[in-house]
Amino acid sequence: IGVVFGTVNQWQESAMFQASSVSEPWQLEFLNGLGREIEVKGWPHFTGQLTTGKTFYASFDGGYEIIFHIAPFMSADERRQY
């Protein structure tokens, strides 16, 4: 599941994917509501094909892992795929 944040001045999807950080308190609160932050490197489970980004968010429920791709946390190469 992909998560993209846009600001008031970001109307185009390409601009939203260029964001490289999450700094607003409401953004972090939203992400923490989705699940917990996981480091890609060394994670032995499913990563949703993320390989070079530093972290992603995941939720674990009833034996299922739900992976959230957070655009600002993805590498530039990964963001270009979308």
Side-chain angles (χ1 to χ4, degrees):
I1 298 173
V3 178
V4 180
F5 292 108
T7 64
V8 174
N9 296 321
Q10 288 178 319
W11 298 100
Q12 295 182 344
E13 187 176 295
S14 60
M16 291 179 199
F17 274 103
Q18 290 176 3
S20 60
S21 66
V22 172
S23 58
E24 297 293 328
W26 66 268
Q27 293 171 321
L28 296 171
E29 186 177 336
F30 176 81
L31 292 174
N32 288 326
L34 292 177
R36 64 183 175 123
E37 190 172 9
I38 307 281
E39 287 189 38
V40 173
K41 186 176 182 175
W43 181 248
H45 302 283
F46 182 70
T47 63
Q49 298 179 344
L50 293 176
T51 57
T52 58
K54 295 177 183 170
T55 62
F56 62 92
Y57 273 73
S59 178
F60 307 92
D61 187 26
Y64 294 98
E65 296 179 14
I66 302 169
I67 304 300
F68 298 95
H69 292 209
I70 315 301
F73 294 174
M74 296 165 63
S75 70
D77 288 337
E78 290 169 332
R79 289 194 309 265
R80 274 193 286 276
Q81 293 177 18
Y82 299 95

